[in-house]
């Protein structure tokens, strides 16, 4: 029996009492992945990206482990909820236009002490001030650095279109703007190198493309390390008590941690290890989060149909954004249908061994987005479900 077949047998036994659709997290794999993130961070604390987990119980579990500190959130409403729930260090990774949220933040000392908001434009400071409604708490601010690699005088850009702050001079000027504004305190810098951390460099069947990605990423790491160090020096000249410099992501942990200017690493997807993280040469994680759909039809030889399954991930549309049939091994989509809204045909010889009611296990393309489809996660240890915990959705919360 292969390791994957053994996992399938365990998951089937663990969930035999549960009807599919059902989602699980294998805690042994989850904890092993957490250990691997800490190892690669080489002594720098890992801040957990909540968008990649979206389950309060699992955020608490990983933050209880050595090597992890703080949450990187994705909306202001989520940040305030987490801080109200006892999370003491929440960095909002994206700018917000949530006026009601800013009013709540500026009026509550506990929330203001726990939450740091993201800024890359003076107009965002104006919006916060216009939202205060009398609240006088000092708002903690982090500046985001654009990490994109610009070539040929900027005519070629590699990387996500995020912050407009690219040069040390631009970031330092924004730091001075914050320093001049009463009611704000600059405490951090964030720089997410998504073109390195979020792009696999070993694309199956594409050796030339993989080589090109590795060359691009090596150049991007060198350029960013130099520029990020210069940015930090420039900002510390304005705000010498800067508390943190955050960088990285699951795919670049060890490279970012090697930079002296970086004080902490962000990562989250590496806990669940969705399918988009299969194509990396720098690390190998264990799939920890899976979902199962039930077999409901057997249309013919080599075909079964499961209920639902059309859970595409965000990003540029393509086959890599689809969940992948994982267990039993050897199943594939019908290219004419793909994963459907209410049913999904699956092709391959393993289909002939599946019976009505059997489970087919899938891996999502991305990490936390799976939790937008399920109210609960069943936590598996060995071949038993030892706990069932709510996702954000299961707590009645949908932040985006």
């Amino acid at each position: 029996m292969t390791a994957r077949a053994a996992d399938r047998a365990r998951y089937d036994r663990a969930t035999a009492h549960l009807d599919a659709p059902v989602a699980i997290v294998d805690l042994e794999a989850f904890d092993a992945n957490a250990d691997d993130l800490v190892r690669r961070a080489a002594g720098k604390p890992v801040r957990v990206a909540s968008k990649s987990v979206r389950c309060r119980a699992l955020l608490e579990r990983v933050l209880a482990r050595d090597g992890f500190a703080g949450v990187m959130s994705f909306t202001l409403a989520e940040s305030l909820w987490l801080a109200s729930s006892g999370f003491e260090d929440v960095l909002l990774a994206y700018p917000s236009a949530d006026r009601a949220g800013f009013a709540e933040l500026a009026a509550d000392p506990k929330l203001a002490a726990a939450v740091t908001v993201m800024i890359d434009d003076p107009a965002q400071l104006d919006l916060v001030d216009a939202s205060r409604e009398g609240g006088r708490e000092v708002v903690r601010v982090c500046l985001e650095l654009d990490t994109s690699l610009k070539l040929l005088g900027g005519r070629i850009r590699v990387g996500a279109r995020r912050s407009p702050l690219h040069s040390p001079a631009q970031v330092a000027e924004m730091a001075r703007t914050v320093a001049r504004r009463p009611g704000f305190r600059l405490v951090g810098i964030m720089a997410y190198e998504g073109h390195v951390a979020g792009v696999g460099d070993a694309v199956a069947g594409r050796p030339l493309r993989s080589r090109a990605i590795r060359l691009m990423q090596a150049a991007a790491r060198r350029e960013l390390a130099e520029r990020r160090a210069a940015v930090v020096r420039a900002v510390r000249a304005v705000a010498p008590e800067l508390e943190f410099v955050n960088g990285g992501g699951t795919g670049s942990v060890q490279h970012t941690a090697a930079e002296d200017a970086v004080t902490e690493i962000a990562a989250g997807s590496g806990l669940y290890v969705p399918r988009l993280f299969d194509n990396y040469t720098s690390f190998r994680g264990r799939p920890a989060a899976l979902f199962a759909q039930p077999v409901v039809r057997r249309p013919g030889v080599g075909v079964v149909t499961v209920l639902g399954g059309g859970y595409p991930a965000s990003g540029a549309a393509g086959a890599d954004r689809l969940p992948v049939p994982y267990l039993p091994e050897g199943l594939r989509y019908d290219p004419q249908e793909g994963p459907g809204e209410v049913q999904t045909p699956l092709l391959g010889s393993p289909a002939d061994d599946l019976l009505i009611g059997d489970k087919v296990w899938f891996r999502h393309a991305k990490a936390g987005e799976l939790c937008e489809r399920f109210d609960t996660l069943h936590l598996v240890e060995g071949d038993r479900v030892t706990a069932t915990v709510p996702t954000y959705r299961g707590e009645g919360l949908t932040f985006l």
Side-chain angles (χ1 to χ4, degrees):
M1 181 182 291
T2 66
R4 278 174 61 174
D7 283 342
R8 180 195 175 200
R10 286 196 302 114
Y11 301 151
D12 282 348
R13 287 196 299 270
T15 62
H17 62 296
L18 299 171
D19 289 332
V22 64
I24 66 168
V25 171
D26 183 331
L27 289 181
E28 181 181 335
F30 181 90
D31 290 344
N33 292 334
D35 288 341
D36 185 63
L37 289 172
V38 170
R39 176 188 63 78
R40 291 196 287 138
K44 292 186 177 178
V46 178
R47 184 182 291 272
V48 184
S50 63
K51 76 175 182 63
S52 299
V53 180
R54 303 194 201 200
C55 172
R56 190 159 49 134
L58 289 175
L59 288 173
E60 291 169 347
R61 181 185 182 91
V62 73
L63 286 170
R65 302 176 68 88
D66 291 340
F68 290 86
V71 174
M72 176 176 281
S73 58
F74 60 98
T75 74
L76 181 56
E78 180 211 14
S79 305
L80 300 176
W81 174 67
L82 289 173
S84 297
S85 301
F87 293 82
E88 297 179 349
D89 180 5
V90 183
L91 169 62
L92 174 56
Y94 306 89
S96 176
D98 181 353
R99 292 176 173 81
F102 283 129
E104 184 179 356
L105 177 67
D108 189 315
K110 177 184 175 182
L111 297 179
V115 175
T116 301
V117 303
M118 193 63 59
I119 295 293
D120 58 34
D121 189 309
Q124 294 156 351
L125 299 175
D126 295 339
L127 189 145
V128 175
D129 274 338
S131 305
R132 286 180 182 269
E133 296 183 356
R136 297 184 177 181
E137 295 299 323
V138 173
V139 174
R140 293 166 53 86
V141 168
C142 177
L143 303 181
E144 180 168 4
L145 168 67
D146 170 38
T147 65
S148 63
L149 176 64
K150 295 184 177 181
L151 305 171
L152 300 179
R155 291 190 293 276
I156 295 177
R157 174 194 179 104
V158 180
R161 297 182 182 275
R162 292 175 63 111
S163 171
L165 306 177
H166 187 82
S167 69
Q170 288 174 314
V171 184
E173 179 55 32
M174 189 67 220
R176 285 189 285 271
T177 298
V178 175
R180 289 192 293 263
R181 294 284 289 259
F184 297 93
R185 183 167 76 253
L186 177 58
V187 298
I189 300 171
M190 186 191 85
Y192 172 57
E193 51 268 48
H195 50 302
V196 178
V199 177
D201 62 351
V203 184
R206 304 288 297 274
L208 294 180
R209 177 176 173 80
S210 298
R211 173 65 174 163
I213 290 172
R214 287 194 289 273
L215 290 172
M216 175 277 291
Q217 290 180 339
R221 288 196 301 267
R222 289 192 298 269
E223 186 276 337
L224 179 58
E226 181 177 339
R227 181 159 53 91
R228 181 154 40 198
V231 164
V232 172
R233 288 194 297 270
V235 172
R236 286 196 185 279
V238 178
E241 296 183 356
L242 201 68
E243 295 176 13
F244 64 85
V245 177
N246 180 281
T250 289
S252 68
V253 170
Q254 64 272 35
H255 302 298
T256 308
E259 296 183 34
D260 291 339
V262 174
T263 66
E264 64 176 39
I265 308 299
S269 295
L271 297 168
Y272 287 171
V273 186
R275 66 166 296 195
L276 283 178
F277 286 88
D278 287 347
N279 301 322
Y280 285 77
T281 58
S282 60
F283 78 101
R284 283 287 184 272
R286 292 174 56 182
L290 301 96
F291 67 94
Q293 306 295 116
V295 174
V296 293
R297 284 178 170 161
R298 292 169 51 89
V301 175
V303 186
V304 292
T305 301
V306 298
L307 183 70
Y311 305 159
S314 59
D320 65 341
R321 300 290 143 170
L322 301 179
V324 61
Y326 184 60
L327 301 170
E329 298 180 65
L331 293 173
R332 64 187 186 280
Y333 292 125
D334 181 334
Q336 301 302 314
E337 297 193 46
E341 178 184 7
V342 291
Q343 69 167 33
T344 298
L346 297 170
L347 312 180
S349 58
D352 294 330
D353 296 323
L354 291 169
L355 305 177
I356 300 296
D358 283 351
K359 295 181 176 76
V360 175
W361 295 91
F362 293 77
R363 293 171 64 201
H364 204 276
K366 299 185 80 171
E369 291 183 22
L370 167 65
C371 295
E372 298 299 334
R373 298 286 184 168
F374 291 89
D375 292 339
T376 57
L377 297 173
H378 301 281
L379 308 184
V380 172
E381 296 184 73
D383 61 358
R384 294 187 306 116
V385 170
T386 56
T388 298
V389 296
T391 61
Y392 281 9
R393 169 177 162 165
E395 297 202 60
L397 299 164
T398 302
F399 294 110
L400 279 179

